[in-house]
Amino acid sequence: MISQKEIEKRFNKLLDEVKTNDFYKVDLTGRVNCYKCRCGHITKTKDIDAGVTPFIFNCEKCGKNSFSTFYKDIAPAQKPTFEWYRPALEQVLKMGKNPALLEHILDGGLDFRKC
Ligand SMILES: [Zn+2]
């Protein structure tokens, strides 16, 4: 298992990259994504940090897989219900029990919460 010290080292390196790498130079103004589900529902999200978000997200209505429109706003009248954010170091240090999420975050991925 990855040590707390190693997590801290990798996370700080990531924060440096976020500041300097062009990949993270994204205009977050109105950066919304839509996840379309076969049930017909669209789960709308917004990014409050720059980072990687998944292609598949659980539909908020039926719980099944819904699929990203790659930041194409196909539901302009709908408000986002989830936001993607980069957790702070103290949260990341507690992610040891969820290795997949921890790796996702350390690789520049974002976590989500209700907004
Ligand atoms: Zn659904």
Side-chain angles (χ1 to χ4, degrees):
M1 213 178 96
I2 181 169
S3 70
Q4 298 289 86
K5 209 177 163 188
E6 182 67 19
I7 293 174
E8 189 169 350
K9 204 175 131 196
R10 283 184 61 191
F11 189 69
N12 285 332
K13 194 169 164 244
L14 171 72
L15 292 186
D16 273 349
E17 272 174 45
V18 170
K19 269 186 238 155
T20 54
N21 193 317
D22 281 350
F23 177 80
Y24 295 101
K25 291 200 173 75
V26 183
D27 182 8
L28 294 166
T29 316
R31 187 162 165 84
V32 296
N33 198 3
C34 293
Y35 289 88
K36 209 176 170 187
C37 179
R38 288 193 190 92
C39 78
H41 187 75
I42 292 162
T43 305
K44 195 164 178 176
T45 66
K46 67 176 176 185
D47 290 9
I48 60 167
D49 288 304
V52 180
T53 56
F55 171 62
I56 295 174
F57 193 58
N58 282 346
C59 172
E60 64 187 343
K61 201 173 175 193
C62 74
K64 290 185 181 158
N65 287 344
S66 56
F67 301 91
S68 172
T69 60
F70 297 99
Y71 294 93
K72 196 171 155 202
D73 189 1
I74 56 168
Q78 200 175 315
K79 282 210 168 96
T81 45
F82 289 92
E83 61 187 19
W84 295 100
Y85 71 103
R86 175 162 291 107
L89 176 63
E90 53 171 23
Q91 290 169 269
V92 180
L93 287 171
K94 290 176 196 155
M95 286 178 184
K97 283 163 266 162
N98 191 342
L101 177 63
L102 178 62
E103 278 305 312
H104 170 71
I105 299 298
L106 293 177
D107 282 340
L110 302 176
D111 198 1
F112 67 90
R113 63 187 169 211
K114 274 207 166 263
C115 60

